Amino acid sequence: MNDLAQWWQDRAPRERALLLFGGVVMLASLIFLGLLEPLAEHNQQQEKALRAQNANLQWLESQRHLVEAGRPARPLPAAAGRSVLAVLNEAASAQGVAGQLKRVTPASDNRVMLTFEAVPYANYMRWLAALETQRGARVARIVLEKTTVPGQVNVGVALVFP
């Protein structure tokens, strides 16, 4: 430390002022570049993400009426005089998934468990959506497993009818 103090004393007053000013500028630059600028950039990114989320929320709110309009006011009964199993078979045939329906297990009067193997995902989802909108079925539990064939899944689903 003695050498540094001696070196400092050997400098002319004008040199010392210039070195001191340069040190202050360097310290201010380091604080700005290392702390303030990253914080400001992070703040801008967060504000941008918030604006995007608000835009998504507004769009979703504007689409709510479409979703509500697509639901029946009250679920339709399975079918007058027909069993739930008959309705399921008819809907499966209509959507092209009857061949992949491997097991149907009635759990109660209004609950049934189904197992599909290697069913095309898109066809299965159309079948499930049709059951929900036309017959008021609700999914109580669902397990999807991918298969080795792209676009096909194994499905175990428990449905509840009104």
Side-chain angles (χ1 to χ4, degrees):
M1 190 71 173
N2 240 354
D3 291 337
L4 183 60
Q6 182 60 42
W7 177 84
W8 183 256
Q9 290 301 321
D10 290 344
R11 304 292 117 210
R14 190 172 174 184
E15 264 185 285
R16 280 188 258 172
L18 187 60
L19 287 170
L20 189 59
F21 178 75
V24 169
V25 168
M26 185 181 295
L27 182 63
S29 297
L30 286 174
I31 289 173
F32 177 76
L33 293 174
L35 207 84
L36 297 178
E37 187 177 25
L39 286 175
E41 186 175 324
H42 178 73
N43 190 24
Q44 287 176 346
Q45 289 173 349
Q46 292 299 317
E47 287 176 359
K48 184 178 178 182
L50 181 61
R51 283 192 300 273
Q53 290 295 323
N54 283 336
N56 284 342
L57 177 63
Q58 288 174 355
W59 181 83
L60 286 171
E61 289 292 332
S62 73
Q63 302 302 312
R64 177 185 290 187
H65 70 281
L66 296 174
V67 173
E68 290 172 350
R71 291 188 185 148
R74 58 181 173 78
L76 302 172
R82 296 178 59 201
S83 73
V84 171
L85 299 178
V87 171
L88 287 172
N89 284 331
E90 179 182 303
S93 295
Q95 296 299 328
V97 297
Q100 291 84 20
L101 181 57
K102 299 302 179 190
R103 190 175 331 141
V104 178
T105 309
S108 66
D109 288 343
N110 66 340
R111 186 179 175 119
V112 65
M113 297 170 72
L114 300 109
T115 303
F116 292 86
E117 291 181 4
V119 63
Y121 179 76
N123 292 355
Y124 172 77
M125 292 309 290
R126 278 193 293 275
W127 170 80
L128 191 58
L131 278 179
E132 181 182 5
T133 57
Q134 297 170 4
R135 304 296 179 205
R138 278 188 313 108
V139 174
R141 184 178 72 69
I142 189 167
V143 176
L144 296 164
E145 296 176 349
K146 71 177 184 176
T147 63
T148 56
V149 179
Q152 292 185 352
V153 292
N154 294 332
V155 181
V157 63
L159 296 174
V160 178
F161 287 86

